[in-house]
Amino acid sequence: MPAMIDFNPQDPSFIVNPYPVFRQLRTEAPLYYWEQGRAWLLSRYEDVRGLLKDPRCSPDVRHWKYYRPEDMHQGPEMKVVSDNGLFGANPEDHRRIRQTVRSAFTPSAATRQAEIIGQVVEELIAEAEIDARDSFDLVKALAEPMPIRVIGRMLGVPRSQERDFRQWANVVVTLAFPNLPPEVMADAAARFPAGYRLMERLIEERRQDLGDDLLSALISAQDGDRGLSDGELLSMVAGLIAAGSETTVHLMAFAVHCLLRFPEVEQRVRADRSLVPGLVEEVLRFDNFGSMGVPRYLLEDMELHGERLGKGEMLMCLLGAAMHDDGVWPDAERFDIDRSPIPNISFGVGPHFCLGAHLARKEVSVALNVLFDRYPVLERAGEPRFDPHPLMRHLASLPVRVRPNAQPSGN
């Protein structure tokens, strides 16, 4: 008899703590059909990691048997971006595009952006007047605005157009999520063309005067027969926004949330900044911000855990469940920044490993170091608030108090 599991990613208790449900899935139903989402759920590490690399699966939603183009509200500009994106590219084009742009997304490239990231964090601290306040909301003041502003600076968006760019970036992020209410999708789709045309103008201007920014690097990658087409260039920019903003927002928020929960860890990291990268990796593993997972669509029939799955089925790879698999991480429920090595799959694995993974890690590492440098003490100023979200465990508010001259206190 199939296991009966109450999997409801919109349940408030699940959003705060999904791990009991994830444990039940791993133990009782490692392959579980979720009726509401019309998807098969995978929760064990080896299954998830294997499927993410399996060439019989695609991340392109157009392969889903329930896909309906009319649900996407796509105008011509959105169609250019979706048709030329990495998820929808055939294997040969996918390899070509990634090889063309990979030098812009290496760990060393992310390190070169550290100065930009630090400047943005300092700007946001000043704009929120954090130093003059008793407490502030870390999500609203830092985590939410930081990634899109960093991406805009990396691309070389002029300061005079940053506001318009951020508005378009927020639309791009919205449209990245499936199962949105029709009215939300329609409103975002209607606002998409204005930002698309802004990027077209910026690209044309940059072609006339290349700089040392990321947009110039991507334009330069168009040279030669195997370079980027105009559509691929625009899709790459939109993809960087979608992948590089929402994940970084939540990673930053959950990193500080974990530090406030484990003050002994915070004190260790403050004393030894070389521990910051390990902290970020353990946050990604221990309290991953995904409430759902990474979808894959079968390109052919497959047998898994004794079930015959048909072409066109959706399999949802639950990263948060997989990274609490005790078979891979002993005592997985313990927050331990000394775990090594960490086979982290938060940003995927295989041919669709997230191009922006190194940038996200660097952004959060730099931001944490700025906070540590400026504020000898960070402590909770109230309870965190989680809000519903299509795919994320949305940490919507995290009240934090800074007391530069106080002694550390327990939480």
Side-chain angles (χ1 to χ4, degrees), residues 15 29 39 43 81 115 147 366:
I15 296 171
S43 51
V81 169
E115 184 176 353
V366 170

Side-chain angles (χ1 to χ4, degrees), residues 30-31 40-42 47 51 56 298 302-309 315:
L31 179 69
W40 294 90
L41 305 180
L42 283 175
D47 288 336
L51 198 77
R56 296 172 296 174
L298 294 188
M302 175 188 293
E303 186 167 323
L304 193 61
H305 285 285
E307 290 279 356
R308 189 71 179 174
L309 308 180
L315 285 89

Side-chain angles (χ1 to χ4, degrees), residues 4-68:
M4 296 300 296
I5 296 175
D6 184 18
F7 180 78
N8 179 6
Q10 298 305 312
D11 186 308
S13 63
F14 179 93
I15 296 171
V16 173
N17 181 15
Y19 299 105
V21 175
F22 286 161
R23 186 183 309 114
Q24 187 182 10
L25 284 166
R26 285 194 310 271
T27 304
E28 301 177 19
L31 179 69
Y32 182 77
Y33 189 71
W34 178 38
E35 293 279 355
Q36 183 182 354
R38 297 181 291 186
W40 294 90
L41 305 180
L42 283 175
S43 51
R44 290 181 181 171
Y45 177 82
E46 292 300 334
D47 288 336
V48 167
R49 190 173 187 275
L51 198 77
L52 291 175
K53 298 191 298 180
D54 198 315
R56 296 172 296 174
C57 305
S58 170
D60 187 353
V61 70
R62 290 174 294 185
H63 291 292
W64 189 27
K65 67 180 183 180
Y66 296 111
Y67 172 75
R68 298 195 315 163

Side-chain angles (χ1 to χ4, degrees), residues 60 62 83 85-97:
D60 187 353
R62 290 174 294 185
D83 286 354
L86 283 172
F87 282 177
N90 62 51
E92 182 179 349
D93 282 339
H94 182 269
R95 285 191 295 272
R96 172 182 58 80
I97 295 170

Side-chain angles (χ1 to χ4, degrees), residues 44-307:
R44 290 181 181 171
Y45 177 82
E46 292 300 334
D47 288 336
V48 167
R49 190 173 187 275
L51 198 77
L52 291 175
K53 298 191 298 180
D54 198 315
R56 296 172 296 174
C57 305
S58 170
D60 187 353
V61 70
R62 290 174 294 185
H63 291 292
W64 189 27
K65 67 180 183 180
Y66 296 111
Y67 172 75
R68 298 195 315 163
E70 60 269 24
D71 291 341
M72 302 304 291
H73 297 275
Q74 285 192 335
E77 296 86 0
M78 282 181 61
K79 192 171 188 310
V80 168
V81 169
S82 62
D83 286 354
N84 289 278
L86 283 172
F87 282 177
N90 62 51
E92 182 179 349
D93 282 339
H94 182 269
R95 285 191 295 272
R96 172 182 58 80
I97 295 170
R98 287 186 72 105
Q99 288 172 359
T100 301
V101 304
R102 64 182 176 181
S103 63
F105 297 99
T106 60
S108 58
T111 298
R112 289 195 298 271
Q113 304 298 339
E115 184 176 353
I116 291 176
I117 298 167
Q119 289 173 350
V120 166
V121 174
E122 294 284 2
E123 286 176 14
L124 293 171
I125 287 173
E127 290 171 13
E129 299 180 336
I130 291 173
D131 290 350
R133 298 167 61 181
D134 176 61
S135 63
F136 69 101
D137 187 338
L138 181 122
V139 175
K140 301 301 181 187
L142 290 180
E144 284 187 350
M146 178 181 69
I148 288 177
R149 190 175 296 193
V150 167
I151 291 170
R153 298 284 170 83
M154 287 174 55
L155 290 169
V157 175
R159 299 291 179 98
S160 61
Q161 295 176 306
E162 278 191 340
R163 181 173 177 274
D164 291 338
F165 174 77
R166 287 199 296 271
Q167 288 179 343
W168 186 61
N170 288 327
V171 169
V172 169
V173 171
T174 299
L175 292 170
F177 296 105
N179 301 323
L180 291 173
E183 64 276 12
V184 175
M185 177 69 80
D187 176 68
R191 292 186 289 123
F192 187 89
Y196 180 95
R197 289 191 288 271
L198 167 65
M199 288 311 305
E200 280 189 316
R201 291 194 301 272
L202 288 177
I203 289 169
E204 189 55 40
E205 291 171 4
R206 203 58 46 79
R207 280 200 180 105
Q208 307 304 317
D209 184 19
L210 291 174
D212 60 357
D213 53 81
L214 178 57
L215 185 57
S216 294
L218 294 175
I219 291 170
S220 298
Q222 287 189 290
D223 293 338
D225 294 337
R226 296 183 60 78
L228 302 179
S229 68
D230 286 353
E232 288 167 348
L233 175 58
L234 282 158
S235 185
M236 179 61 66
V237 171
L240 175 63
I241 292 168
S245 55
E246 195 74 3
T247 53
T248 308
V249 168
H250 290 84
L251 176 55
M252 179 64 189
F254 274 82
V256 175
H257 182 44
C258 284
L259 289 173
L260 297 179
R261 292 167 62 190
F262 303 103
E264 69 284 358
V265 173
E266 180 196 349
Q267 294 309 310
R268 280 191 62 202
V269 176
R270 281 183 179 278
D272 182 359
R273 302 297 180 81
S274 70
L275 298 176
V276 170
L279 165 69
V280 172
E281 294 304 304
E282 180 65 352
V283 171
L284 285 165
R285 185 207 68 82
F286 173 79
D287 206 8
N288 192 273
F289 42 76
S291 63
M292 290 294 295
V294 178
R296 289 292 184 266
Y297 307 95
L298 294 188
L299 301 176
E300 59 183 71
D301 294 351
M302 175 188 293
E303 186 167 323
L304 193 61
H305 285 285
E307 290 279 356

